[in-house]
């Protein structure tokens, strides 16, 4: 009996998750199409019926992560003030990192394996994400354009790196999250309030 649409979707997602695990643990460049097919329980020939190419699958996984990152920049309407909005955004990033650690690893390590066109698409998504992030948490920041761009990049990097770094800490999760919030809130408040970047430019 042929599979239902729901069964086909579940099958696709399961294989996609297995591919993600293999890429993240072994390294995209170290995985051949034959090995990928075997890992997914497919023949090398039938693999192309499920995924156009290994590179296309990597791009899909990284693009999805950036789309999820953009979604974290929609705090609930009840969040008021820059500090509360930022705290909400920090918690959303913390949760996303816990849910998708392997995709974060791919995005950090293997984006260079994408085609030039795919890398340009990911770079555009990242710029959009960083711009929207800074506009959300500091809509009236009085810094030159180049300094604002650098600030957005640094904040985004910290938001997406600190959860992984803090995983190594023996502190309870609540304390790790509080540490991340305090570090980011303090650094951002000082940078944007005093114009340190602006005066040093």
């Amino acid at each position: 009996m042929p599979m239902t649409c729901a069964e086909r979707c579940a099958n696709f997602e399961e294989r996609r998750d297995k591919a993600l695990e293999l890429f993240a643990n072994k390294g995209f460049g170290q995985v051949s199409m034959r090995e990928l097919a075997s890992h997914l329980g497919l023949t090398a020939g039938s693999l192309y019926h499920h995924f156009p190419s290994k590179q296309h699958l990597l791009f899909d996984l990284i693009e999805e992560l950036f789309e999820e990152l953009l979604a974290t920049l929609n705090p609930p309407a009840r969040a008021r003030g820059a500090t509360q909005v930022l705290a909400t955004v920090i918690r959303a990033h913390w949760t996303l990192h816990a849910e998708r650690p392997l995709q974060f690893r791919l995005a950090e390590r293997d984006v260079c394996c994408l085609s030039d066109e795919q890398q340009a698409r990911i770079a555009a998504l990242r710029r959009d994400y960083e711009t929207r992030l800074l506009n959300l948490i500091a809509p009236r920041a009085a810094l030159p354009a180049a300094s604002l761009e650098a600030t957005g990049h640094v904040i985004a990097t910290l938001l997406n790196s600190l959860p992984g770094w803090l995983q190594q800490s023996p502190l309870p999760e609540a304390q790790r999250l509080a540490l991340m919030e305090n570090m980011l809130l303090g650094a951002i408040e000082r940078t944007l309030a005093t114009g340190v970047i602006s005066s040093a430019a």
Side-chain angles (χ1 to χ4, degrees), residues 78-132:
R78 65 179 179 275
R80 291 287 184 270
T83 298
Q84 189 176 5
V85 168
L86 179 57
T88 303
V89 169
I90 289 172
R91 289 173 180 271
H93 279 72
W94 181 272
T95 300
L96 183 62
H97 201 286
E99 293 173 347
R100 300 178 181 273
L102 299 184
Q103 277 171 279
F104 275 98
R105 190 185 305 175
L106 284 186
E108 180 181 351
R109 185 191 63 199
D110 292 331
V111 70
C112 60
C113 298
L114 298 173
S115 69
D116 290 344
E117 182 181 353
Q118 290 168 335
Q119 288 189 50
R121 166 64 178 159
I122 295 301
L125 282 171
R126 184 179 182 98
R127 284 193 301 272
D128 183 30
Y129 161 67
E130 291 174 358
T131 299
R132 287 178 55 188

Side-chain angles (χ1 to χ4, degrees), residues 17-159:
D17 288 344
K18 285 183 178 180
L20 167 61
E21 183 179 10
L22 183 63
F23 289 160
N25 291 333
K26 191 167 183 178
F28 177 80
Q30 303 303 312
V31 178
S32 67
M33 286 296 285
R34 185 176 298 277
E35 181 180 7
L36 177 60
S38 175
H39 188 74
L40 301 183
L42 301 168
T43 65
S46 67
L47 180 62
Y48 291 101
H49 293 294
H50 298 271
F51 306 105
S53 70
K54 187 177 73 157
Q55 196 176 48
H56 183 277
L57 178 54
L58 175 66
F59 172 73
D60 183 54
L61 291 166
I62 296 177
E63 181 185 45
E64 179 186 60
L65 177 63
F66 275 95
E67 289 170 348
E68 292 287 342
L69 283 169
L70 282 164
T72 66
L73 304 183
N74 298 311
R78 65 179 179 275
R80 291 287 184 270
T83 298
Q84 189 176 5
V85 168
L86 179 57
T88 303
V89 169
I90 289 172
R91 289 173 180 271
H93 279 72
W94 181 272
T95 300
L96 183 62
H97 201 286
E99 293 173 347
R100 300 178 181 273
L102 299 184
Q103 277 171 279
F104 275 98
R105 190 185 305 175
L106 284 186
E108 180 181 351
R109 185 191 63 199
D110 292 331
V111 70
C112 60
C113 298
L114 298 173
S115 69
D116 290 344
E117 182 181 353
Q118 290 168 335
Q119 288 189 50
R121 166 64 178 159
I122 295 301
L125 282 171
R126 184 179 182 98
R127 284 193 301 272
D128 183 30
Y129 161 67
E130 291 174 358
T131 299
R132 287 178 55 188
L133 171 63
L134 196 57
N135 287 339
L136 178 66
I137 65 176
R140 292 180 294 279
L143 293 174
S147 296
L148 277 174
E149 183 178 347
T151 302
H153 179 72
V154 170
I155 294 171
T157 300
L158 286 173
L159 269 172

Side-chain angles (χ1 to χ4, degrees), residues 87-88 90-91 176-186:
T88 303
I90 289 172
R91 289 173 180 271
R176 283 184 274 130
L177 177 55
L179 178 58
M180 176 174 168
E181 289 179 344
N182 289 335
M183 291 174 69
L184 280 165
L185 288 168

